Amino acid sequence: MNNDILKSLPKFLEILGLDEEPMGLFYTDEKPVEGFSPKPMDLPTREKEQRNEIDWQAVFSKFSCAIGHIWRARKKKTAAYFSARQFGCPGCAFWLGFMKPQNETIIHYVSTEIPGQMEGELYCDSPDELRRIFEHIDPRSAPRKYCVIKPLSLFEDDQKPELVVFFSRPESLCGLHQLAAFVTNDPEVVVSPWSAGCGSLAVWPLYYLTRGENKAVIGGWDPSARKYFKTDELTFTLPYDMFEQMVKRFEESFLTTKTWTTVQKKIARSKKAWGENPQVE
């Protein structure tokens, strides 16, 4: 991790009105010494499903949301990590690259229903359409044993995140959005595709990178994961190299103008409204 970037980070966050440092996401073969992760369980692959070898009652009884583990890691300023044994839900296993294709049971559950077992989440209007979407996304297979997300300050000198994740309300988010365009000169640099909460943190940014496209992704729209976000909070995930350019160049941008000072006043009012900075008038 670039120490110069870490030294510049506090000022960068201060001008954006962000009180929480971003987290870095990377894949590694080393299990974190401490942090939060789902309980181990067998991976419910399509092959096992076809052989009727999955105990779905056990899978759903151990269900835990990746965003929930990341929420705990944010509060404790530590790592959250996932693997082919510690994935929490079949959705996370798919989105983080530990399992594909997605099994038919989950395709039916996320769309319409699991016939004769439970109602569906209704996030897609048919299993056929959701299957098509999943095939289009085609998550990159996990290149290492663990997917780890942790605060940037916890990265060792020889570690570098692939992606950087901000948790932000809209006023600060507008600064991140516009700064991404400033350093790339790409008017379509920020995208916001459909996915599960964890998909916005990993799959979509990596999807674009593997196609040679430098994109930042706004996420956090998944209704099932909203309970693990602050009210009005979204995610902003970007490739590390774009993040590095933003930290290096923010003082050349609109963030030093009177226009941004007006936004900073709104950020202060937002913090006061949510009891995060009650001394602000």
Side-chain angles (χ1 to χ4, degrees):
M1 184 69 192
N2 188 324
N3 285 325
D4 290 337
I5 294 298
L6 289 177
K7 289 177 182 177
S8 300
L9 189 57
K11 186 175 181 180
F12 177 75
L13 297 177
E14 180 182 8
I15 202 167
L16 284 165
L18 293 168
D19 298 324
E20 179 182 341
E21 70 173 298
M23 304 182 88
L25 184 148
F26 71 118
Y27 287 80
T28 177
D29 288 324
E30 294 184 24
K31 181 179 179 180
V33 176
E34 58 183 26
F36 295 95
S37 67
K39 295 179 180 179
M41 59 177 161
D42 292 331
L43 199 63
T45 65
R46 176 81 68 84
E47 291 78 10
K48 291 178 182 177
E49 181 184 47
Q50 292 172 339
R51 297 193 299 267
N52 198 29
E53 294 176 354
I54 300 174
D55 182 349
W56 285 109
Q57 185 174 357
V59 171
F60 280 99
S61 69
K62 292 183 179 180
F63 177 91
S64 61
C65 180
I67 302 298
H69 294 285
I70 294 169
W71 170 251
R72 296 180 186 94
R74 292 172 59 193
K75 293 176 72 174
K76 297 295 184 179
K77 293 180 173 34
T78 187
Y81 59 96
F82 310 90
S83 72
R85 287 280 295 162
Q86 296 160 285
F87 50 87
C89 82
C92 174
F94 172 79
W95 289 105
L96 296 188
F98 296 112
M99 179 184 76
K100 64 179 182 180
Q102 183 58 279
N103 54 61
E104 287 296 311
T105 299
I106 296 302
I107 287 174
H108 280 79
Y109 172 64
V110 173
S111 56
T112 53
E113 63 177 344
I114 302 178
Q117 297 184 46
M118 66 176 67
E119 296 179 351
E121 293 184 301
L122 303 178
Y123 291 144
C124 193
D125 72 356
S126 76
D128 288 343
E129 287 301 318
L130 184 57
R131 194 179 301 109
R132 179 188 61 79
I133 290 170
F134 283 168
E135 289 171 357
H136 168 76
I137 296 168
D138 188 26
R140 184 191 74 176
S141 295
R144 298 286 186 271
K145 186 174 181 180
Y146 297 98
C147 176
V148 179
I149 179 169
K150 62 182 180 179
L152 291 183
S153 60
L154 297 184
F155 276 74
E156 304 292 338
D157 290 343
D158 60 346
Q159 293 179 331
K160 178 182 175 181
E162 276 193 277
L163 305 171
V164 176
V165 183
F166 289 86
F167 295 86
S168 173
R169 293 195 172 104
E171 302 299 345
S172 296
L173 186 62
C174 85
L176 292 167
H177 183 288
Q178 298 293 300
L179 188 60
F182 177 82
V183 300
T184 63
N185 294 308
D186 178 2
E188 298 181 345
V189 66
V190 181
V191 296
S192 190
W194 176 93
S195 79
C198 56
S200 299
L201 303 188
V203 168
W204 279 112
L206 293 172
Y207 172 92
Y208 293 112
L209 276 179
T210 57
R211 287 157 178 77
E213 298 181 58
N214 197 25
K215 300 290 184 182
V217 175
I218 294 177
W221 307 113
D222 180 0
S224 296
R226 285 303 305 169
K227 60 185 175 182
Y228 300 116
F229 288 89
K230 295 177 182 178
T231 304
D232 297 334
E233 185 177 63
L234 294 169
T235 59
F236 186 87
T237 305
L238 66 164
Y240 177 79
D241 290 345
M242 189 194 301
F243 163 76
E244 193 172 77
Q245 286 300 308
M246 288 167 65
V247 175
K248 287 180 177 179
R249 299 188 59 200
F250 75 94
E251 290 182 297
E252 305 169 21
S253 76
F254 63 94
L255 291 175
T256 60
T257 67
K258 292 181 179 179
T259 299
W260 185 249
T261 301
T262 301
V263 178
Q264 287 177 318
K265 292 177 181 178
K266 294 196 70 176
I267 292 171
R269 289 200 295 271
S270 176
K271 290 181 179 181
K272 182 179 180 181
W274 293 115
E276 295 173 353
N277 199 1
Q279 75 273 17
V280 176
E281 296 299 330

